[in-house]
Amino acid sequence: MGESQEMDIGYVANLARIELSEEEKEKFRGQFGDILKYFDRLSEVDVEGVEPTAHAFPRHNVWDQDEARPGFSAEEALANAPAQRLDQVVVPKVIEE
Amino acid sequence: MSDTLHEMTAAELGEALAAGKTSAVEIARSFIARAEAVDEKVHAFLHRDDEDFLAQAHASDERRSKGESLGPLDGVPVAVKDVISVKGQPLTAASRILENYVSPYDATVIVKLKHAGALVWGRLNLDEFAMGSSTENSAYGATNNPWDLACVPGGSSGGSAAAVAAREAPLTLGSDTGGSIRQPAALCGVVGMKPTYGMVSRYGLAAFASSLDQIGPFSQTVEDAALLLQTISGHDPLDSTSYPAEVPDYHRALAEKPGPLKLGLPKEFFGEAIDEEVRKLVDEAIQFYRDDGHEVIEISLPMTDLSIPVYYLIATAEASSNLARYDGIRYTHRSDRAENAIDVYAKSRGEGFGEEVKRRCILGAYALSSGYYDAYYLRAQKARTLIRRDFEKAFEQVDAILTPTSPTPAFRQGERNEDPIAMYLSDVFTISTNLAGLPALSVPCGFTEAGLPVGLHIIGQAFKETDLLRVANAYDTVHSFGRKVPQL
């Protein structure tokens, strides 16, 4: 990874789906520069041939019985929804006319 | 008795209840009165449902009068960090984005506590989504350290630590991703424990970094930590990373003193910049173990230097993915400025998330993004393997590892706010155990001249909580620093 590169904040904030104000962008730009520089020490370690660790004690093939269990009613499932109608979440239109 | 009930440990409350010297209702009233008296200063609680608390206490007393008590925690209050779901109670994760959210179900740890008759009470403050080391990142105001209100309680489980220290609850639950139980426990002068990854179900915990998060107990004593851990541990089919290990009888195991052990001091940890008073108090605690007949040797964890970058890459990457669920669609704040679907996401999250959460989600998205994945995320996962191997090698030599929990005592509010790296370094001694999945705890080991508590950090071997608790208990039963009550 070598020398840390400047991050394109607008691009990455869009990937993360977070709207930032201009002040936030300015503030983060400096901070990310420092943080990424700090992370650069990672480039000095030799990880050739080392297996990555995703979980400390990985478990594979965790099976469960295919049994019906009681779940939420529509009312319970929608209780926290910001907008709802006819047992459904209301969202802005996603298909262009 | 009601004057002193709130100062008692969970074990003492359990005994008093069993002996008929008090009632669950009397206990609940005592803690409500205490919270009324001190929480304005401490601000450990974000929310309290005292009516529900008293109703649970009545039910507990009724069970006991019929001879149907459910065990040592029946009638004992347990307050909960505001990231663990309790049915019918709010869960904000100290974030604006979940301001009006009410949990539709109980987390597995809560189901277990209710089965044990514990009185599940209140929502405790934290750094938003458990991201932080000071509890200053809460959208609902900071928590203050009961030993010095101008200082932070640590974080992210600052409310959980402060509530036990201020005697607003005898037991609390927190979550620990990089030290979020142990560091605030040290800064508030209480016991805090992170179990082995997989020992406690994460079902119903608002996820931060799934491969690192564990729920664990706060208490005044190691004995109480064992009692609470006993109740919340065990395999859970609802959490696919939950480990199918037997849960030993931790409390009974404490009656046995540990045989002569080999304890390791990692030279890389003690080479770090450590506050002089912290070093002195930790040295004294280490000397206790030598005097108690244990062998203390120097060990090496050569990859220690990498743990902070590795942790912050992995944790932010997992966070950016986990927090994608807070999207303004199904159960969060939705921006009223949004004009299309993408707008709903970006604007709702921009309005709902605080600064540190935004910083970490963006950093994580960057580490995972095309062109950087190999250099950052994958490389961090490989380095994580090296950190894990360091511990495996060390545990061929020693039974447990001793370090300070935090390099400094509680720092002042505002001191590290604007410098993310300085804040991240607060966790330098605790994060590598999360990366390796190991159990570890902080036990109070004295006070600085300014009266601030200091914690001894003990790291144990995977799934050997019993040994870890015994080592800690040997010290704690002699010193009992967690029993000291702050002046409030």
Side-chain angles (χ1 to χ4, degrees), chain B residues 446-459:
Chain B
F447 294 84
T448 64
E449 279 184 19
L452 292 172
V454 170
L456 172 72
H457 187 219
I458 312 176
I459 307 169

Side-chain angles (χ1 to χ4, degrees), chain A residues 3 6 12 15-16 20 26 30 34 52 57 65 71 78 80 82-83 91-92 94:
Chain A
E3 286 294 293
E6 180 136 334
V12 186
L15 287 181
L20 295 180
E26 205 41 57
D34 291 345
F57 311 108
Q65 295 303 314
L78 290 168
N80 287 297
V91 295
V94 288

Side-chain angles (χ1 to χ4, degrees), chain B residues 63-337:
Chain B
R63 279 194 295 275
R64 195 174 295 277
S65 71
K66 289 188 208 148
E68 292 167 2
S69 165
L70 298 171
L73 287 188
D74 199 340
V76 176
V78 179
V80 181
K81 185 179 183 180
D82 199 17
V83 276
I84 299 171
S85 306
V86 177
K87 189 174 179 175
Q89 297 295 326
L91 186 160
T92 69
S95 182
R96 288 280 169 220
I97 207 160
L98 287 174
E99 193 161 12
N100 300 311
Y101 180 86
V102 176
S103 294
Y105 68 97
D106 279 328
T108 296
V109 292
I110 300 301
V111 171
K112 285 174 180 281
L113 284 173
K114 287 180 175 174
H115 284 164
L119 314 179
V120 177
W121 176 49
R123 312 295 301 165
L124 295 165
N125 203 9
L126 65 147
D127 286 298
E128 183 177 359
F129 285 108
M131 297 180 188
S133 307
S134 69
T135 314
E136 291 166 294
N137 293 338
S138 169
Y140 305 101
T143 293
N144 302 316
N145 192 310
W147 293 97
D148 181 346
L149 297 171
C151 287
V152 303
S156 67
S157 312
S160 305
V164 172
R167 302 302 186 256
E168 297 179 72
L171 297 171
T172 60
L173 286 181
S175 63
D176 189 314
T177 306
S180 280
I181 290 175
R182 293 159 287 157
Q183 184 256 18
L187 270 45
C188 289
V190 299
V191 174
M193 178 170 182
K194 181 199 96 73
T196 308
Y197 184 80
M199 271 311 282
V200 176
S201 168
R202 295 182 295 109
Y203 181 74
L205 168 71
F208 161 16
S210 307
S211 81
L212 305 165
D213 296 341
Q214 271 292 279
I215 295 172
F218 285 89
S219 54
Q220 294 176 36
T221 64
V222 171
E223 182 192 17
D224 274 10
L227 272 174
L228 184 49
L229 184 67
Q230 188 78 55
T231 309
I232 61 172
S233 294
H235 179 246
D236 178 15
L238 297 174
D239 172 2
S240 63
T241 61
S242 155
Y243 209 81
E246 283 295 307
V247 181
D249 190 332
Y250 298 125
H251 191 243
R252 184 180 299 171
L254 286 186
E256 258 174 74
K257 224 175 118 76
L261 298 170
K262 250 189 179 174
L263 304 171
L265 309 179
K267 65 177 184 202
E268 292 80 4
F269 282 49
F270 287 89
E272 295 277 344
I274 301 173
D275 174 271
E276 232 170 85
E277 284 186 277
V278 170
R279 189 183 289 269
K280 183 172 154 281
L281 291 166
V282 169
D283 279 346
E284 285 171 16
I286 292 165
Q287 189 55 42
F288 162 83
Y289 283 104
R290 286 201 192 92
D291 295 343
D292 205 31
H294 306 289
E295 188 185 349
V296 178
I297 62 168
E298 187 182 89
I299 58 166
S300 177
L301 298 168
M303 296 295 162
T304 296
D305 206 27
L306 293 180
S307 54
I308 289 198
V310 168
Y311 172 82
Y312 278 96
L313 279 165
I314 290 175
T316 56
E318 292 187 16
S320 80
S321 162
N322 270 325
L323 271 65
R325 75 191 67 188
Y326 306 110
D327 56 6
I329 303 292
R330 294 159 301 158
Y331 49 76
T332 53
H333 160 79
R334 182 183 292 181
S335 172
D336 51 22
R337 295 182 296 124

Side-chain angles (χ1 to χ4, degrees), chain B residues 43-60:
Chain B
H43 192 234
F45 284 96
L46 290 178
H47 176 81
R48 284 174 17 219
D49 188 340
D50 295 346
E51 213 172 295
D52 175 69
F53 185 29
L54 285 167
Q56 293 178 64
H58 274 292
S60 170

